[in-house]
Amino acid sequence: MSIMKKLRISTPLKKIAVFSTSILVLIFIIDVFFPVDTSLSYATIIEARDGTVIHAYLAKDQQWRMQTRLDEITPELKKAILFKEDKHFYHHVGINPLALCRALKNNLFHLKRTSGASTITMQVARMLEPKPRTYIGKFIEMFRALQLEVHHSKDEVLQLYLNLVPYGSNIQGVKAASLLYFSKSPDQLSLAEITALSIIPNRPSSLVMGRDNALIVRERNKWLKRFREGGLFSVNIIDDAVAEPLNAFRHSAPQEAHQFSLRMKKELGGRGEVKTTIDSKAQLKAENITSEYMEQLKMHNINNASVLIVDNRTHEVVSYIGSSDFKDKSHFGQVDGVKATRSPGSTLKPLLYGMCFDKGLATPKMVMADVPISIKGYSPENYDRLFRGNVTTDYALRNSLNIPAVKLLELNGVNEFINTLTQAGFTSVYKKRKELGLSVILGGCGVRLDELTALYSSFANNGIYAPLKYTLSLPGAKDTFNTHNEVKILTMGANYMITHILSELHRPDLPNGYDQAQGIPKIAWKTGTSYGRKDAWSIGYNKKYTIGVWLGNFSGLGIQELSGANTATPLLFKLFNALDHDADNPWVEPPASLAFRLVCSETGKIPDEFCRNQVMDYYLPGISKNNICDHLKPNWLSADEKYSYCTSCLPPYGYKTKLMQNIEADLAAYFETQHIPYQKLPAHNLACSRMFSGKPPVITSLTNGMTYLIADKDEQKLQLACAAGTEVQKVYWYINNKHYATASPSQKLFFPVSTTTVKISCTDDKGRSANISVKVKFI
């Protein structure tokens, strides 16, 4: 009997257990195969460093849905929402059984629907998957709520609610509402504003900010009184909130820093929220200064400007102006000038000079000849088409002379220079590297403003290049901009020499120099103007900032008045004076690797016994050359100074010794063509039969190995020209090993061409020869 009772008792229990297990298994299967999708499409918002939203873009579904971070959910916001919507949120599993029973009772016995049964979790489920308000829909909603509670924490569920709650029109979520109605982030809202926002989701169509503010205030104050009755906040806080007026209305979404924001959206838009390095105050100040300055230039048909400002201590971009007037469609104001590839003019020269200092190829006071040259058929000219004869290296850099720069690039090597630019992030140069030659130093390549500004920022950091930073570090976020590691492109010594040279440029706004200009930041800077006056650059730096300025027309139109020095530099000074005025900015100090020495002012070499004028020069011990100056040489002349002698033909008496200038051949040739008087060595003793060593003539009119096109061989001829030493009186020209003519070194000749291959020889009156071979193609 007892056994039968046990069987009867155990059978129902077993059925219940089996049924319960089956239900749990079914729930598990449904949860696995039909998970709740909490992935949302958020609006992309671009924030400045201080959290200010500078630009916002609609979500993919055209909703203003902005992701509210957990740290933006203040205790006041949480208390108000939970008190109003779900007091037991942290004590149920997504469903409140008591509230459900109360709602069911009202539905059955009072024949009316009542609110209050839906928990915050259930509301989230409904907003994620909107369904008709039926019993089946409610059951699915409850199941989804359970799923949410299983897979998400309470704070995450609350965050989802605050991101989805509707505020009318296409505004969803507390963050979008607080930004579009109050121009604030959620963590900056007052209690009155929080309460006002908390009541709108229940009646989004009848409580519209800006239209129904009086009604919203009445409803708000009702809830504030309930908060007081519930002891949610202190009486004083409640009273202040009740008294607070409501002047809110729907604002346009922030639309600042257009090009910068679009760049961030394209590169990092998947984050939803992009926190950048932009300093909102510096950005606004730079925009105002640039816009005001450009109003003056538009009268000269100069319509576009771009500015980039970098904090040298962190390599962070603090201001980014892609275009001075984004709305100027007639002048392509939507173009991002910071990313646009343009000719750099002379702005790459400081890097080249620094590399040459590091190789010992030059020092600041080394003298170079600024005279016409031809290197492999390339004959550069200076900006003003003038030549200045002998100049020091620092003078050549400060005055942006082209001839010395091309000479140094040939000594340094084009490929090595391009490799260094590539290491410093110049992507356009890298792409065109096989096509670039000596003209690259004069602007014969393409660069971007952000690339140039990063390069000059390395000059402010002891020659160490680091990629610019546009966003603040976020855990687990990949910054697609930082694709290069830090690279040492110059030693500290060479870098200091460059900075010292560039800081000595004359500032027209400071006629008496920095010493008498209180509060004006000291800077080093360089300008550049592209061929055709299409681009004007001015880039400056000190210990704190590097500022890059580009001016011109995005259309590519050249303007005669456009130049880096006269057009772009005044804006550079205005920006520095505004951003760094009265700042405590210590200037750079010479590093221990740098030393001083006296050099001859005529050559920049170590003085010999004949050097009377000496100057102080920086140099790198163990690297810089120690050549002895030879600008003056003792020469043996006849008593009447008509002839010169050598050791082979020096007579026992009847001669005199005279110190004479030792002038390079290219400088002597320039003096001859310009009819500039200079000290010439008399013709050598005609009776001497000695063959001389030394530099042979240099054929300057033709380039060895080049092919020349001849359309009419009866009319067209090739030119013969050379550069020879001052002691040379005559040169002898040979064409295909046959004597063609005898001429002075400065005389230019022309010869007809009849063969496709031509050998040209030039022999001076000292027996020294130069030979080249060229090809001719008749067309």
Side-chain angles (χ1 to χ4, degrees), residues 406-598:
V406 172
K407 286 183 175 180
L408 287 177
L409 182 57
E410 185 189 27
L411 290 173
N412 177 83
V414 174
N415 289 338
E416 188 166 349
F417 182 65
I418 291 174
N419 288 341
T420 302
L421 287 174
T422 300
Q423 289 180 320
F426 284 78
T427 55
S428 302
V429 170
Y430 174 75
K431 291 176 182 177
K432 300 285 186 178
R433 63 192 182 281
K434 295 181 180 180
E435 304 170 19
L436 301 177
L438 291 172
S439 65
V440 68
I441 197 60
L442 307 184
C445 62
V447 303
R448 302 178 356 173
L449 180 58
D450 51 1
E451 295 170 346
L452 273 178
T453 308
L455 173 66
Y456 277 71
S457 182
S458 71
F459 299 154
N461 284 281
N462 297 318
I464 298 176
Y465 165 80
L468 300 182
K469 296 179 182 178
Y470 296 85
T471 59
L472 297 176
S473 298
L474 296 174
K478 180 182 178 183
D479 192 344
T480 59
F481 297 105
N482 297 348
T483 55
H484 303 278
N485 296 321
E486 290 189 354
V487 178
K488 190 176 188 65
I489 58 175
L490 294 177
T491 65
M492 290 180 66
N495 190 78
Y496 175 82
M497 287 189 275
I498 291 300
T499 298
H500 180 71
I501 293 170
L502 297 182
S503 65
E504 289 185 331
L505 284 165
H506 173 67
R507 282 186 63 162
D509 59 332
L510 299 178
N512 298 317
Y514 288 102
D515 296 338
Q516 299 181 30
Q518 186 175 0
I520 300 297
K522 185 174 182 179
I523 63 173
W525 83 97
K526 182 74 180 72
T527 64
T529 307
S530 68
Y531 179 76
R533 297 179 182 266
K534 298 179 180 180
D535 309 276
W537 305 84
S538 190
I539 306 178
Y541 62 94
N542 59 13
K543 295 290 286 184
K544 190 172 183 180
Y545 292 116
T546 294
I547 300 179
V549 173
W550 173 88
L551 268 67
N553 291 299
F554 290 143
S555 65
L557 176 67
I559 301 297
Q560 185 62 31
E561 295 86 351
L562 188 69
S563 76
N566 299 324
T567 313
T569 299
L571 177 56
L572 177 76
F573 293 160
K574 286 177 180 288
L575 291 167
F576 260 112
N577 294 346
L579 293 175
D580 208 25
H581 191 78
D582 283 334
D584 181 19
N585 262 331
W587 196 240
V588 292
E589 297 292 335
S593 60
L594 198 64
F596 299 91
R597 67 183 178 189
L598 285 170

Side-chain angles (χ1 to χ4, degrees), residues 83 99 102 179 211 371 397 427 441 449 484 501 586 597 600 687:
F83 185 87
R102 183 172 63 250
L179 181 66
R211 188 192 71 184
V371 296
L397 178 55
T427 55
I441 197 60
L449 180 58
H484 303 278
I501 293 170
R597 67 183 178 189
C600 176

Side-chain angles (χ1 to χ4, degrees), residues 19 79 175 242 248 309 345 372 475 485 522 573 582 610 613 730 753:
F19 178 76
K79 283 182 182 179
K175 187 163 187 171
V242 170
I309 303 176
N485 296 321
K522 185 174 182 179
F573 293 160
D582 283 334
F610 304 118
N613 299 318
K730 292 182 179 181
V753 182

Side-chain angles (χ1 to χ4, degrees), residues 723-779:
T726 57
E727 76 281 6
V728 177
Q729 303 297 314
K730 292 182 179 181
V731 293
Y732 307 92
W733 290 99
Y734 296 85
I735 306 298
N736 290 328
N737 297 320
K738 293 181 180 181
H739 180 261
Y740 177 73
T742 300
S744 66
S746 60
Q747 186 176 353
K748 291 181 173 61
L749 305 173
F750 294 88
F751 72 95
V753 182
S754 59
T755 59
T756 57
T757 300
V758 183
K759 179 184 178 183
I760 303 164
S761 304
C762 182
T763 303
D764 63 19
D765 52 15
K766 302 293 185 277
R768 298 169 296 199
S769 297
N771 301 286
I772 65 169
S773 180
V774 300
K775 293 182 179 181
V776 176
K777 184 176 181 180
F778 298 99
I779 57 176

Side-chain angles (χ1 to χ4, degrees), residues 116-127:
S118 291
T119 63
I120 283 179
T121 314
M122 291 170 66
Q123 292 182 58
V124 171
R126 183 167 62 248
M127 288 185 287

Side-chain angles (χ1 to χ4, degrees), residues 44-47 54-58 254-271 274 276 278 283 287 320-323 326 332-339 470-471 480-481:
T44 299
I45 58 173
I46 313 299
E47 293 185 356
I54 57 179
H55 208 109
Y57 297 91
L58 284 165
Q255 301 287 309
E256 305 299 327
H258 292 273
Q259 286 95 342
F260 172 74
S261 299
L262 186 59
R263 181 174 179 176
M264 295 298 103
K265 180 178 182 290
K266 287 181 177 179
E267 296 288 342
L268 306 166
R271 295 183 184 177
V274 180
T276 73
I278 294 294
Q283 177 74 14
E287 285 178 349
Y320 186 118
I321 302 175
S323 168
F326 181 82
F332 307 98
Q334 291 78 27
V335 172
D336 186 352
V338 174
K339 292 172 59 180
Y470 296 85
T471 59
T480 59
F481 297 105

